[in-house]
Amino acid sequence: KISKEAVVSTQSTGALGRRILVFGGSGQVFGATNSAELKILNLVTLQWTDAEVGGEEIPAGYGHSISVGSDGCVYLYGGTNGMMYLNTMHRLTPGTRPDSWTNASYFREGHVGRYRAESIHYNDKILVFGGGNPAAFGDMSDIPVFCTRTNTWSEIKSPSERAPCGRIAHSCNRVGDKVLVIGGQVTKETWMEVHGVRHFVPNTDATSDIWVFDLPTSTWFELPQTLPLEIFFHSGAVGSDGDLYLFGGSRYCQWKDRNGNPRKITKRINKLFKLQMQLPSLLESAWEVLFEHYGHLDQEDFLEMGVPEFLVRRSFVPTIR
């Protein structure tokens, strides 16, 4: 059982070489207990360490975006403490020791803060997609850009006639020179009847759409495919096979109150979705069929069959200490 004080919700997670970096997070009651700690998982030893972060202080909070720049630095953007929504880019520069970092902060003037945005690096820039606060979700036609070389902010205005609507809690992954934005919470307008009077009100909902942003041309296009479920707060990662995997998150379940007005509750999910980005090799196809039919066997059985070790090791979950 996880205590209400455990800061394990809405942490920011990124990969740097053979390390997984986890920053911040909140407790079960969002905003009541927040963290400003940076924890690192070594993927070789499978051991956790607490990093030391010097320089400018990073406020405790949750819902930051995290990305690793081409300069090897880690970039944290936005987030919230439950009351204030932040609009600052933090750059964590590696120190002389593996678990020491130095932070420098760069505020984005003239704009409101965002939480649950997503960011990716492209050349010497960090692009921020979506995110928002209770007042509004970030417009996806105008993309905030932080230059890691000059430490300055700018915007990319997409020439596309159509772009995804503003959203938070979506997934955002770079595959080559494309960025895939999938799902998330969006604002939809709906009618609600109160005391016999119909009101036109904004309504937070989820989406299952899949959008692609082309980095060289700054253009958007929507894929005809959608997710099987409308989800948000899920995670996305590109696997070693080059395909995109989405896991977990939440979805809305609909019901009606005694007046017939639509209501909804939030349910967690633990489903894994795979978006195939390319035709698999014959080796990958053969392994997928073999594992599907004989997945009850253990690692040593597959190795004795002659299955390449890298395929076997990646298909079984290691023990993390």
Side-chain angles (χ1 to χ4, degrees), residues 5-43:
E5 291 74 27
V7 286
V8 295
S9 299
T10 318
Q11 298 167 316
S12 303
T13 304
L16 178 60
R18 296 187 176 182
R19 292 179 291 173
I20 298 294
L21 289 76
V22 179
F23 177 81
S26 184
Q28 184 175 339
V29 180
F30 283 103
T33 305
N34 296 323
S35 169
E37 295 181 343
L38 177 65
K39 298 181 180 294
I40 300 176
L41 172 65
N42 187 308
L43 294 176

Side-chain angles (χ1 to χ4, degrees), residues 33-298:
T33 305
N34 296 323
S35 169
E37 295 181 343
L38 177 65
K39 298 181 180 294
I40 300 176
L41 172 65
N42 187 308
L43 294 176
V44 177
T45 64
L46 299 181
Q47 292 183 330
W48 287 97
T49 56
D50 294 329
E52 297 179 5
V53 180
E56 300 179 53
E57 181 180 0
I58 304 176
Y62 58 96
H64 308 77
S65 73
I66 186 170
S67 54
V68 178
S70 55
D71 54 4
C73 296
V74 176
Y75 291 85
L76 291 165
Y77 171 73
T80 181
N81 60 9
M83 297 291 291
M84 297 177 58
Y85 291 81
L86 309 177
N87 197 26
T88 301
M89 182 72 77
H90 304 283
R91 179 175 61 204
L92 301 178
T93 303
T96 55
R97 292 181 291 107
D99 298 326
S100 66
W101 304 75
T102 302
N103 174 58
S105 303
Y106 304 92
F107 183 69
R108 185 172 176 236
E109 297 283 354
H111 297 271
V112 297
R114 302 186 185 193
Y115 119 106
R116 285 309 305 232
E118 296 293 335
S119 58
I120 62 97
H121 87 274
Y122 180 59
N123 296 331
D124 59 355
K125 295 178 174 57
I126 305 294
L127 281 66
V128 179
F129 292 85
N133 55 61
F137 295 165
D139 186 356
M140 298 287 247
S141 296
D142 299 329
I143 299 170
V145 178
F146 180 78
C147 180
T148 61
R149 180 174 45 83
T150 62
N151 300 326
T152 55
W153 284 96
S154 61
E155 283 188 354
I156 291 177
K157 294 187 178 295
S158 174
S160 300
E161 294 183 0
R162 294 183 64 240
C165 60
R167 63 193 64 199
I168 66 172
H170 48 291
S171 62
C172 179
N173 297 93
R174 177 182 169 186
V175 181
D177 59 2
K178 303 288 192 295
V179 178
L180 281 84
V181 173
I182 303 177
Q185 278 185 322
V186 299
T187 299
K188 297 179 180 179
E189 295 180 330
T190 187
W191 290 95
M192 178 173 288
E193 185 171 321
V194 180
H195 303 301
V197 180
R198 297 187 74 199
H199 296 268
F200 196 53
V201 296
N203 177 42
T204 301
D205 209 340
T207 182
S208 60
D209 56 2
I210 303 174
W211 285 83
V212 179
F213 183 78
D214 183 74
L215 288 166
T217 63
S218 300
T219 54
W220 286 102
F221 62 92
E222 184 178 10
L223 294 185
Q225 298 88 351
T226 60
L227 294 178
L229 296 174
E230 296 178 332
I231 60 174
F232 54 99
F233 283 115
H234 52 286
S235 297
V238 179
S240 57
D241 55 2
D243 292 333
L244 180 59
Y245 293 84
L246 305 177
F247 176 75
S250 300
R251 67 185 181 96
Y252 288 124
C253 295
Q254 303 288 339
W255 60 284
K256 292 186 177 181
D257 62 18
R258 64 179 64 181
N259 296 320
N261 291 318
R263 304 291 183 182
K264 58 191 175 186
I265 58 175
T266 303
K267 284 192 174 182
R268 303 285 192 266
I269 64 173
N270 65 348
K271 294 182 180 294
L272 177 67
F273 301 107
K274 175 181 177 179
L275 182 61
Q276 193 173 71
M277 304 302 297
Q278 57 190 357
L279 290 176
S281 65
L282 291 177
L283 178 65
E284 292 284 352
S285 298
W287 171 236
E288 186 172 334
V289 172
L290 182 65
F291 193 77
E292 181 180 353
H293 288 84
Y294 297 97
H296 60 280
L297 301 179
D298 60 26

Side-chain angles (χ1 to χ4, degrees), residues 299-307:
Q299 299 184 54
E300 299 307 318
D301 292 327
F302 286 115
L303 292 174
E304 289 179 5
M305 292 180 187
V307 177

